[in-house]
Amino acid sequence: MAVNTTTLIQRAREALLKAYAPYSKHPVGAALVADDGSLYAGCNIENAAYPLGHCAEATAIGSMVLAGNRHITHIVIVGPGEHACTPCGGCRQKIREFSGPEGVAITICNNDGDVLLETTIAELLPHAFGPDNVQETNR
Ligand SMILES: [Zn+2]
């Protein structure tokens, strides 16, 4: 069952409404589809000890892994304002970790669901360090 972009945007917008962002006031929602067609959503979860906060992408990836999936095919991220809420450096690495052989499509939207940017993990994290790099040293 294919999950279309409109559905992912809607789920990411719903996730944003559940964000716990009392410090930054920057709620973010994410929704991803795994290679078996399953959909997982996440929101950012901040903490009074700031570095302990989780990004929306990381929350969605955690749900995917918990359910037994390993490959993201498409992730939508929704953030406030008109400045595209692209994944932070750490989340780019996390998305790369669970990239399938076809890569990962990334769509960034504003609160209204308007698409601000369509890109890929290969564009956001070129020459990435990934699982293949580690496996080469373990042979
Ligand atoms: Zn992040």
Side-chain angles (χ1 to χ4, degrees):
M1 178 181 76
V3 176
N4 65 33
T5 301
T6 302
T7 300
L8 281 173
I9 291 171
Q10 183 57 35
R11 290 293 297 273
R13 292 179 72 202
E14 291 168 7
L16 179 147
L17 296 175
K18 303 213 171 133
Y20 177 72
Y23 308 109
S24 71
K25 314 282 193 222
H26 188 86
V28 179
L32 66 84
V33 61
D35 59 355
D36 74 345
S38 298
L39 191 156
Y40 304 95
C43 60
N44 55 335
I45 304 169
E46 295 182 348
N47 193 287
Y50 291 177
L52 297 180
H54 290 267
C55 295
E57 300 93 316
T59 309
I61 289 169
S63 294
M64 178 191 78
V65 171
L66 181 63
N69 276 310
R70 293 290 185 266
H71 290 140
I72 305 165
T73 60
H74 187 186
I75 183 167
V76 170
I77 301 150
V78 174
E82 294 304 313
H83 188 82
C85 185
T86 52
C88 74
C91 284
R92 292 177 194 203
Q93 188 67 44
K94 288 172 183 165
I95 293 167
R96 167 61 188 89
E97 181 72 21
F98 296 104
S99 172
E102 306 301 319
V104 179
I106 300 175
T107 304
I108 313 294
C109 299
N110 65 14
N111 260 347
D112 295 325
D114 302 319
V115 174
L116 302 176
L117 177 68
E118 290 187 294
T119 185
T120 66
I121 193 59
E123 287 180 357
L124 292 183
L125 194 65
H127 309 291
F129 184 88
D132 293 344
N133 297 93
V134 176
Q135 287 165 0
E136 283 178 15
T137 61
N138 288 337
R139 284 189 189 133

